[in-house]
Amino acid sequence: MPHDSHRDLSRRERQIMDILYRSGRATAQDVMSQLPDPPSYSAVRAMLRLLEERGQVKHEQVGPRYVFTPTVAPEKARRSALRNVVRTFFDGSTRDAVAALLDLNDAPLTPTEIDRLKRLIDRATSEGR
């Protein structure tokens, strides 16, 4: 059964999952080339195998290589990761998390972005959130 979050992963496993989400799909060699201070090729293969056993990734064989993809859709993984960040760093407060994100943004929001945020806030309000 796939996990919904990175919570149960080691730092290196999280890095591998981040690479797979950015790439969409990758071989062990692709993953290794993008890892900071990469371990050996066989260590990367072993971690990918472990992630597959845990249901985080799946593979397909393309010629002699295995190509790995995440099993959890990127949108679902993003939501889970954000939920964990809000819970961990903002004591569960969506308001505080959004305020922090707006403070991080160096460029002013465009009118389109402001309209989208207003629509999202209106929808959340009408749904009682």
Side-chain angles (χ1 to χ4, degrees):
M1 165 184 256
H3 293 271
D4 288 342
S5 76
H6 286 328
R7 230 186 342 227
D8 300 326
L9 302 178
S10 71
R11 178 184 59 86
R12 186 61 89 181
E13 290 168 337
R14 232 181 339 274
Q15 289 172 335
I16 290 171
M17 291 304 300
D18 291 345
I19 290 166
L20 290 174
Y21 276 114
R22 272 195 312 273
S23 310
R25 50 190 282 132
T27 64
Q29 182 63 46
D30 297 334
V31 169
M32 191 173 107
S33 71
Q34 295 180 54
L35 283 171
D37 190 28
S40 69
Y41 177 79
S42 60
V44 172
R45 284 290 307 259
M47 284 184 265
L48 285 163
R49 219 173 10 259
L50 182 60
L51 288 167
E52 188 166 25
E53 287 171 12
R54 291 184 189 159
Q56 291 278 355
V57 302
K58 61 184 177 183
H59 79 271
E60 64 176 298
Q61 191 159 355
V62 178
R65 293 188 170 86
Y66 283 2
V67 178
F68 295 88
T69 55
T71 57
V72 177
E75 180 59 32
K76 187 173 180 182
R78 270 193 295 272
R79 291 175 75 84
S80 176
L82 279 172
R83 193 174 293 117
N84 191 42
V85 166
V86 170
R87 190 174 38 250
T88 302
F89 295 102
F90 299 97
D91 199 25
S93 171
T94 302
R95 183 196 67 225
D96 290 348
V98 169
L101 287 170
L102 290 172
D103 286 343
L104 283 178
N105 194 3
D106 293 334
L109 294 173
T110 67
T112 303
E113 291 169 327
I114 292 170
D115 286 343
R116 180 158 190 259
L117 289 172
K118 285 179 182 176
R119 283 194 309 277
L120 290 169
I121 291 167
D122 288 345
R123 187 176 78 203
T125 303
S126 71
E127 293 172 357
R129 294 185 283 134

